Amino acid sequence: MYLYNSATHQKAPFVTHTPGHVEMYTCGPTVYHFAHIGNLRSYIMEDVLEKFLRYEGNTVNRVMNITDVGHLASDADTGEDKMLKGARREHKTVMEIAKYYTDAFFEDCRKLNIKRPDTVQPATGCIDEYIKIITALLEKGFAYQAGGNVYFDTSKLKRYYIFNDHNEEDLAVGVREGVEEDTNKRNRNDFVLWFTKSKFEDQALKWDSPWGVGYPGWHIECSGISMKYNGEYLDLHCGGIDNAFPHHTNEIAQSESFLGHPWCPQWFHVHHLNTATGKMSKSKGEFLTVSLLEEKGYDPLSYRFFCLQSHYRKNLVFSWENLDNAQGTYRKLIRRVAALKQEGEADAAAVAVYKEKFLQQVGNDLNTSLGITAVYDVLKADLNDATKLALLDSFDTVLSLSLTEKAAKLREEEAKAKAEASTAGDYTVTGEGDAEIDQLIFRRAQAKKERNFAEADRIRDELKSRGIEVTDVPGGAVWKRL
Ligand code: AMP
Ligand code: ZN
């Protein structure tokens, strides 16, 4: 496929270290609160990317961390550990809230049809890994100790700013208003690999290390976890666009300095979901969650559909009106799929042609909206229903909109509702508990009542051709299969 690469600012064919196999890494959630639907936009798009790579025939090993330590309130090593803040807010221990919000995250993912990565690793489970890397970085002269902490020395790098050509002013993340600058740093963008002297005496989780009892910085987690489970050569690294700097920039700095060779050539960044008033944030009071969408009567998959309608490299504006529109369109789509009949044989040649087109279109920098267009193209096409269903099932292995499952459910619900209606009046159908047949018989009775004999005969013939024998009885009909 063609993918835009944030590191080169270009769209190019995606090439992996081992042809046909993708080592993929995703920055996981910081589990101090629920994920907001902005976070989940990133995970939805990364999920489609993984599924598309598999659809192309690759094997994929996808790894994700769970940040349960070390992510401070500011991405530049200042402020309080977010986990500690969450624990204090809820009068629980850090591990309790980590477990609670990790489970909540995967529950949201399940509702949004986001597949669980092959490996999910909490950051607190890989301390030895970070210690090994930090020790080597100190030995190689890429790190230094100051004021009790271990820092990465960005001045030792040939090139630090990988994703952008910011000037120094833009990158002054360490000197945000009201936040004390860390005077131990030799260079402004140096970052903490290991904290031993934290301003926060009550930091909950601490481990022994060659530099004293402490805890790892946020960036080292992802390098350590990725190297452990993806190996030395990572093919594809994903995250939201806010992760590009400083998080991913620092991951590259420490990983390549440690390995002594290039680490990951392809960087995939999902742009933000914003509200009309700006960026979505977990720390700003009430925020939008999957549960809130459900409480308001939305199907979480309508939100997935909404995300797929637009390109991952564009900011997306969330509003209830936009979600209403997406939900309306999604429901109509399901209705159209439900109208397809499960009969006949799929035309293998036609399936191959449409699949190829889907591969080309979605394969152009993960163009998910064209993926949805491909679904409508199939529905409109001059193909038999079996072929259409085969194609929809195939595309849905990537889009994961539960098209045929939802359609089956809709048919079932409608049949049930209609069957119930058939006994509601003075006409009762008794049979073998098949709502669709009940419904046909009911429609035949209705047609007779309306003196629409042609329709009544047509239904009688259809029932006959399906091997159903109908006997009229007072107040209704009884049927059985012959
Ligand atoms: P966090 O739980 O804060 O570590 O973030 C989890 C993921 O969500 C990261 O990949 C972030 O880059 C991403 N993210 C954060 N805010 C947004 C947003 N508004 N829209 C899309 N992705 C986001
Ligand atoms: Zn990360």
Side-chain angles (χ1 to χ4, degrees), residues 117-310:
D118 304 284
T119 299
V120 174
Q121 175 63 63
T124 47
C126 281
I127 302 296
D128 290 350
E129 219 51 44
Y130 319 139
I131 291 179
K132 182 181 85 188
I133 298 169
I134 298 167
T135 306
L137 289 173
L138 279 161
E139 275 167 16
K140 288 181 162 195
F142 284 106
Y144 59 92
Q145 281 180 270
N149 296 333
V150 184
Y151 294 86
F152 186 91
D153 186 347
T154 52
S155 70
K156 295 282 156 60
L157 298 169
K158 284 199 197 83
R159 184 172 169 230
Y160 174 62
Y161 303 120
I162 302 293
F163 299 110
N164 34 31
D165 307 312
H166 288 298
N167 59 39
E168 285 283 307
E169 282 307 304
D170 292 341
L171 294 173
V173 281
V175 270
R176 287 205 183 128
E177 234 175 289
V179 177
E180 212 180 301
E181 195 172 356
D182 183 345
T183 50
N184 293 319
K185 291 186 182 182
R186 290 184 191 160
N187 313 286
R188 181 190 271 171
N189 285 307
D190 288 0
F191 54 92
V192 179
L193 296 165
W194 188 267
F195 291 94
T196 60
K197 288 240 170 59
S198 164
K199 284 181 280 176
F200 313 106
E201 290 304 319
D202 46 356
Q203 175 69 20
L205 301 174
K206 297 176 196 178
W207 294 265
D208 217 357
S209 83
W211 320 286
V213 175
Y215 59 101
W218 170 40
H219 317 297
I220 195 74
E221 286 178 17
C222 289
S223 294
I225 292 172
S226 176
M227 283 183 213
K228 180 167 177 187
Y229 297 104
N230 294 117
E232 277 190 30
Y233 294 94
L234 181 61
D235 295 307
L236 170 60
H237 197 309
C238 312
I241 189 71
D242 59 308
N243 281 163
F245 186 86
H247 184 50
H248 291 163
T249 305
N250 292 349
E251 278 188 42
I252 295 170
Q254 66 204 3
S255 299
E256 299 200 343
S257 304
F258 170 74
L259 290 168
H261 62 67
W263 176 48
C264 178
Q266 177 71 48
W267 291 80
F268 176 89
H269 288 124
V270 180
H271 287 242
H272 276 174
L273 179 80
N274 297 322
T275 58
T277 51
K279 190 180 166 236
M280 220 166 265
S281 148
K282 286 192 216 179
S283 45
K284 273 196 250 155
E286 210 201 30
F287 55 87
L288 295 160
T289 59
V290 171
S291 313
L292 184 67
L293 300 192
E294 285 183 307
E295 273 164 34
K296 288 185 179 276
Y298 293 96
D299 177 344
L301 291 185
S302 299
Y303 177 65
R304 185 175 175 109
F305 185 79
F306 172 66
C307 290
L308 299 193
Q309 282 176 315
S310 67

Side-chain angles (χ1 to χ4, degrees), residues 27-32 36-43 46 67 71 82 218 238-243 270-274 279-280 282:
C27 289
T30 309
V31 285
Y32 71 110
H36 59 56
I37 58 171
N39 301 127
L40 290 161
R41 178 192 188 198
S42 287
Y43 295 110
E46 292 161 3
T67 299
H71 192 172
K82 292 185 179 188
W218 170 40
C238 312
I241 189 71
D242 59 308
N243 281 163
V270 180
H271 287 242
H272 276 174
L273 179 80
N274 297 322
K279 190 180 166 236
M280 220 166 265
K282 286 192 216 179

